[in-house]
Amino acid sequence: MRVDILTLFPSLLLPYFGESILKRALDSKAVEIHVHDIRDYSLDKHKKVDDTPYGGGAGMLMTCQPIFDAIEQLKTFNKGPVIYLTPQGKVFKQAKAASLAKSTNLIFLCGRYEGIDYRVREALVDEEISIGDYVLTGGELAALVVVDAIVRLLPGVLGDEKSIHHDSFSSAFDGKKEHPHYTKPADFRGMKVPDVLLSGNHAAIEKWRKDHLQ
Ligand code: ADE
């Protein structure tokens, strides 16, 4: 999978990709993630990327030119949908993560300020995604959430393939949540791990887990 992310703040995104499972996914080439600074595409001599809204009103809007140039260039080698992160988008769910994980190419556009010129949305954006009914200062956190949820579903990214099927949203558990998990020690300050989990009796353990989904 190839993912391109357009943002005015690449440094907000990059550290997340340098650690843990995302880093492993990149190292193993399960995914390539390219973060682009929209400002680099500005033809303005001061690299301006925003302006005041026609008709008046508070705040600034991201202008067309840098975003059009950036996306048109990206589209020559990334044929995936352009996804704009915005609170007005469709709320992101696990099923959407699963369907996006089947794509080979994705382009994410992170907004800032009061948003982007509507002509970008009309001409270039294929889908709008929100990560929840609240307003963030920009789309970067949302892009991280969406990319993280997609990348962990790519083949080979989680060490144990089973953990995908056994996680909270899998149909394997009929949409129910997880059973409690414990690790060593078996007794922590008098709080004991249920005996059955130490028994080695796999059938009994499976039954206990099914009975304790919450
Ligand atoms: N940008 C600002 N708020 C957002 C949200 N809730 N989801 C996606 N992008 C956003």
Side-chain angles (χ1 to χ4, degrees):
M1 174 182 279
R2 177 186 170 116
V3 175
D4 288 278
I5 308 177
L6 286 159
T7 170
L8 287 174
F9 297 97
S11 60
L12 288 181
L13 298 172
L14 292 170
Y16 194 75
F17 301 132
E19 301 283 345
S20 189
I21 292 174
L22 270 286
K23 176 173 165 34
R24 252 195 7 234
L26 290 164
D27 289 347
S28 72
K29 309 255 187 293
V31 63
E32 264 177 57
I33 301 175
H34 302 269
V35 179
H36 309 271
D37 189 340
I38 295 169
R39 202 173 293 279
D40 291 342
Y41 294 84
S42 173
L43 297 176
D44 178 77
K45 64 174 182 294
H46 303 298
K47 298 276 170 206
K48 196 171 155 66
V49 289
D50 59 343
D51 219 322
T52 51
Y54 279 119
M60 301 288 269
L61 290 173
M62 290 167 69
T63 55
C64 284
Q65 178 275 315
I67 303 176
F68 267 78
D69 283 5
I71 291 181
E72 281 164 4
Q73 191 177 316
L74 281 181
K75 275 179 172 288
T76 61
F77 42 86
N78 183 326
K79 306 292 183 198
V82 176
I83 300 169
Y84 175 49
L85 287 316
T86 167
Q88 285 100 45
K90 188 158 182 217
V91 175
F92 188 61
K93 298 267 169 59
Q94 185 65 21
K96 184 67 183 174
S99 92
L100 290 175
K102 298 195 185 105
S103 317
T104 50
N105 288 267
L106 296 169
I107 299 176
F108 291 98
L109 172 62
C110 304
R112 277 269 148 181
Y113 315 122
E114 298 307 306
I116 57 177
D117 190 299
Y118 193 66
R119 289 165 289 189
V120 172
R121 291 163 82 163
E122 277 189 316
L124 297 175
V125 170
D126 297 300
E127 282 186 52
E128 303 194 343
I129 290 181
S130 162
I131 59 160
D133 290 333
Y134 40 79
V135 181
L136 303 165
T137 55
E140 286 76 11
L141 279 174
L144 287 177
V145 166
V146 172
V147 170
D148 184 288
I150 293 168
V151 169
R152 68 182 283 284
L153 297 177
L154 299 178
V157 167
L158 294 186
D160 178 2
E161 293 278 329
K162 276 194 225 144
S163 45
I164 288 178
H165 302 295
H166 278 240
D167 72 21
S168 320
F169 302 99
S170 152
S171 58
F173 283 152
D174 282 339
K176 288 194 192 126
K177 303 243 171 77
E178 299 220 335
H179 55 74
H181 300 276
Y182 300 89
T183 186
K184 294 179 187 67
D187 182 337
F188 179 71
R189 298 183 183 171
M191 294 178 278
K192 296 201 173 60
V193 174
D195 285 338
V196 60
L197 298 180
L198 312 177
S199 68
N201 180 340
H202 294 294
I205 292 171
E206 267 314 292
K207 179 171 184 322
W208 183 91
R209 287 179 167 170
K210 284 222 163 74
D211 291 345
H212 289 79
L213 291 173
Q214 48 181 248

